Amino acid sequence: MSLALLNDASRDEALHWLHGLYEHSPWVADAVVDRRPFASAAQLKHLMAQAVREAPRDLQLALLRAHPELAGRLAERGELTAESTSEQLRAGLKACSPEELARLRELNAAYLARFGWPFIVAVRGPRGTGLTRAEIIATFERRLDAHPDTEFGECLRQVHRIAELRLNDKLGVEPVLGHQVWDCAELLALHTDPGFDALGQLTVTYLTPAHQACQVQLVRWMNDCGFDEVSVDAVGNVVGVYHGSTLDAPRLLTGSHYDTVRNGGKYDGRLGIFVPMVAVRELHQQGRRLPFAIEVVGFAEEEGQRYKATFLGSGALIGQFDRRWLGQRDAGGISMAEAMAAAGLDPAGIPALRRDPARYLGFVEVHIEQGPVLTELDLPLGVVTSINGSVRFVGEVIGQASHAGTTPMDRRRDAATAVAELALYVELRAAAQPGVVGTVGMLNVPEGSINVVPARCQFSLDLRAGTDDSRDALVADVVAALERIVARRGLHHTLEETMRASAAPSSTAWQLRWESAVVATGATVFRLPSGAGHDAMKLHEVMPQAMLFVRGGNGGISHNPLEVITSDDAQLGVEAFQHLVDQLAQAIPTP
């Protein structure tokens, strides 16, 4: 059945057709059937997820308990629903070895005893083609240690993913473009730095052999997608240009970074390269030219993992490459200049990479959210309102070491408790204002001993907000609190500012384009700030910019091997980019 037929069906026919999407829970379909007509599958999926989220806890719990155990007794007796039978068969759970079956039974029992409902995972996985039994068991083992509230939410999200895949089957929907994005992420993740490959960890830092292998792969893919110009520039960016209807047409700039943090995820940054690549491939296959060119840049460096400098790739495009960085050395003693020479790059060519903003319409970036907001709201896409400004400090509080047993509590000059008090202040101050966050991420007591009052405590501060004014007010309050704390305790301190980045509010016009694009996909528009920094921050300094977030799975975790997206969400990301491009094409007269 198609969505159009579902919309036109009688209420009873529609309920019958929707039956089975949510295991033994017809109330979900009953809650949404009168919301017809459904504009898209994405809208129907969200309405069902919303109905579950708004349901009372006992009804949600009944929904979870309606799901069968993996390879459990119902499966053995052949009493699963047709949908669950198919899913467990496709996951190979009928072919478990005796050892795997014993382990699953052990995990089922432990999970049920801990949480009170069966373990739920979409065994068809993020691509829809199935998790392996080893992956299922590893996921089971990991989630068994979760907090009950966290696991309750994750199980509901897994139920929604199961329903999404079942709905796709009923509608005959296949996220082909999303599969292409997902497959690119898997293939590019095969390249990782020496030492990390043996550990099965993804790490790609600036100009390592793995980094250069990524360049080669991206160049090959861009050529295959039909870009007219593909090159690796003097800083290591991979640049693809798909010409407009004329060679002198203005350009839309897009892209993101392909380097990673150590033991990172497959989608951070890279998603923003793959999405426009796939969109350009579709344009090329259609033989379609736009009244503007699309320039996709795979930025060579954003994370600052190998050298202290960050945003080398996007910074070079706005003329912010400091030649003093060339003398920085990595942990192995290799200077940046030496690394560039070994990679065949000539730093003398970097100044020429500076783009003329007059040639560009703006910069857009698609990025995995790297947070829990979208996934907790069951939303696949989010429109970024601003990239938070931030200030970072490293500091130290200095007191007096003394005997832990003989020094009375009112005589101590304890540096560690002063920093602990500061950390609590940062938490309370940041929590008191929406859109503001503060973190004391590093704490260190040099030469600390179990029976000595700490004389010194080193710490870091990371303070962020959606506007520079809010950020600066937070900084002023935290610094003032530090001064009050050390004065009251008879201590002294040092504090060094190590980084300051201005907030990057999205261009109103470009944010509205993203919002219209999200509406066109059938998804719900949701606006949120970005707490993390992005290449868009650098381009913001010279041209209008706006970002689109794609939901991440596993609670939205990022900078972590558990970072994941689904093909369905990637599909919506591509479709949103295509709609944005179409809007822009209609707004610009063809020469």
Side-chain angles (χ1 to χ4, degrees):
M1 181 182 285
S2 68
L3 201 61
L5 290 174
L6 175 63
N7 286 332
D8 291 338
S10 69
R11 192 177 193 277
D12 287 345
E13 289 173 333
L15 285 172
H16 178 75
W17 188 85
L18 291 169
H19 179 71
L21 295 179
Y22 283 83
E23 195 88 356
H24 297 299
S25 301
W27 61 268
V28 180
D30 193 64
V32 302
V33 68
D34 294 329
R35 303 285 296 273
R36 292 179 295 166
F38 305 124
S40 66
Q43 184 196 35
L44 174 54
K45 293 170 186 176
H46 176 65
L47 288 173
M48 292 189 295
Q50 186 179 43
V52 172
R53 190 172 64 256
E54 294 173 353
R57 173 87 175 198
D58 59 342
L59 207 53
Q60 295 174 336
L61 186 57
L63 171 60
L64 298 187
R65 288 174 173 164
H67 279 258
E69 291 182 337
L70 297 181
R73 290 186 177 86
L74 290 178
E76 291 177 6
R77 297 198 298 261
E79 297 177 4
L80 299 179
T81 63
E83 293 85 0
S84 287
T85 298
S86 172
E87 287 154 1
Q88 294 206 20
L89 279 172
R90 290 172 68 170
L93 292 175
K94 272 284 193 179
C96 285
S97 69
E99 294 78 15
E100 289 171 330
L101 191 57
R103 182 58 177 150
L104 280 171
R105 286 173 174 167
E106 178 186 1
L107 289 167
N108 278 328
Y111 189 95
L112 186 61
R114 173 166 166 74
F115 298 111
W117 62 82
F119 174 72
I120 302 172
V121 65
V123 295
R124 287 171 61 182
R127 195 187 187 280
T129 48
L131 300 172
T132 66
R133 293 193 297 276
E135 289 172 328
I136 291 170
I137 291 172
T139 302
F140 210 149
E141 292 171 339
R142 171 176 58 82
R143 285 174 48 193
L144 187 59
D145 292 329
H147 187 280
D149 290 343
T150 300
E151 189 60 12
F152 189 84
E154 182 60 24
C155 282
L156 288 177
R157 287 188 286 274
Q158 292 296 322
V159 167
H160 297 322
R161 175 60 179 159
I162 292 168
E164 176 173 62
L165 291 164
R166 291 176 178 179
L167 181 62
N168 287 352
D169 291 342
K170 282 179 174 284
L171 292 174
V173 170
E174 188 74 19
V176 175
L177 303 181
H179 287 336
Q180 292 173 18
V181 169
W182 202 89
D183 292 344
C184 282
E186 291 294 304
L187 290 169
L188 201 64
L190 295 177
H191 306 295
T192 189
D193 286 356
F196 293 93
D197 48 359
L199 299 172
Q201 297 178 355
L202 175 60
T203 301
V204 177
T205 57
Y206 187 52
L207 297 183
T208 59
H211 187 270
Q212 294 175 67
C214 289
Q215 290 175 354
V216 171
Q217 183 64 75
L218 289 171
V219 167
R220 182 180 300 122
W221 282 339
M222 286 185 177
N223 280 315
D224 291 344
C225 287
F227 284 83
D228 300 293
E229 301 174 24
V230 182
S231 62
V232 176
D233 68 20
V235 79
N237 296 326
V238 180
V239 183
V241 180
Y242 184 71
H243 289 159
S245 50
T246 62
L247 290 179
D248 61 349
R251 292 184 176 186
L252 172 64
L253 187 61
T254 186
S256 196
H257 63 97
Y258 63 92
D259 67 319
T260 75
V261 297
R262 290 176 175 83
N263 195 22
K266 301 172 184 176
Y267 305 93
D268 175 20
R270 297 174 173 200
L271 181 65
I273 306 170
F274 303 145
V275 165
M277 270 176 39
V278 170
V280 166
R281 181 178 182 271
E282 292 298 296
L283 289 170
H284 175 68
Q285 289 185 338
Q286 297 164 12
R288 184 181 172 200
R289 295 287 177 179
L290 304 169
F292 55 90
I294 299 177
E295 181 177 339
V296 181
V297 182
F299 294 114
E301 196 282 336
E302 188 250 25
E303 299 288 5
Q305 296 291 297
R306 185 175 181 184
Y307 299 101
K308 293 180 181 178
T310 58
F311 295 105
L312 296 178
S314 51
L317 267 60
I318 64 170
Q320 288 185 4
F321 185 91
D322 189 336
R323 290 191 62 84
R324 290 175 295 182
W325 294 337
L326 296 171
Q328 291 184 2
R329 295 189 179 274
D330 66 10
I334 300 171
S335 72
M336 187 185 296
E338 291 166 344
M340 295 182 79
L345 303 180
D346 183 1
I350 293 177
L353 303 183
R354 184 172 186 171
R355 302 301 198 263
D356 177 5
R359 291 194 62 197
Y360 291 87
L361 300 168
F363 177 80
V364 293
E365 183 172 357
V366 179
H367 207 282
I368 190 170
E369 183 201 349
Q370 298 181 281
V373 176
L374 293 177
T375 190
E376 289 181 357
L377 293 173
D378 303 306
L379 293 170
L381 303 175
V383 179
V384 178
T385 56
S386 178
I387 304 170
N388 283 1
S390 62
V391 178
R392 292 179 183 173
F393 297 91
V394 292
E396 183 174 27
V397 172
I398 301 97
Q400 176 67 56
S402 59
H403 196 293
T406 62
T407 309
M409 295 304 293
D410 62 350
R411 306 288 201 282
R412 298 182 178 214
R413 297 176 60 200
D414 188 330
T417 54
V419 176
E421 185 177 346
L422 176 67
L424 290 174
Y425 175 83
V426 169
E427 181 179 58
L428 290 170
R429 169 61 177 81
Q433 183 177 354
V436 169
V437 293
T439 305
V440 178
M442 296 190 299
L443 284 167
N444 179 47
V445 176
E447 301 176 355
S449 179
I450 194 169
N451 62 345
V452 176
V453 176
R456 297 163 58 208
C457 187
Q458 299 162 341
F459 63 96
S460 65
L461 288 170
D462 185 316
L463 308 174
R464 308 187 188 207
T467 67
D468 289 346
D469 287 345
S470 295
R471 177 205 62 191
D472 293 345
L474 174 65
V475 169
D477 287 349
V478 169
V479 171
L482 173 61
E483 291 171 349
R484 288 195 304 271
I485 290 167
V486 297
R488 173 166 41 82
R489 290 174 172 269
L491 311 170
H492 60 280
H493 73 285
T494 65
L495 191 65
E496 177 190 359
E497 182 177 313
T498 60
M499 190 274 283
R500 180 176 291 261
S502 296
S506 297
S507 157
T508 300
W510 284 97
Q511 181 179 322
L512 289 173
R513 289 188 180 105
W514 274 129
E515 292 178 10
S516 296
V518 170
V519 170
T521 69
T524 299
V525 172
F526 182 79
R527 305 167 188 88
L528 73 168
S530 172
H534 302 286
D535 291 297
M537 295 178 73
K538 303 305 292 182
L539 278 303
H540 172 81
E541 297 180 30
V542 299
M543 65 180 71
Q545 64 80 27
M547 295 183 66
L548 180 74
F549 275 164
V550 176
R551 162 177 57 187
N554 288 328
I557 196 167
S558 184
H559 282 186
N560 186 297
L562 294 175
E563 180 181 281
V564 71
I565 62 170
T566 66
S567 287
D568 290 84
D569 287 355
Q571 175 81 22
L572 291 175
V574 176
E575 290 177 6
F577 186 87
Q578 291 174 315
H579 285 301
L580 180 139
V581 165
D582 287 341
Q583 289 177 56
L584 200 57
Q586 293 170 12
I588 299 176
T590 303

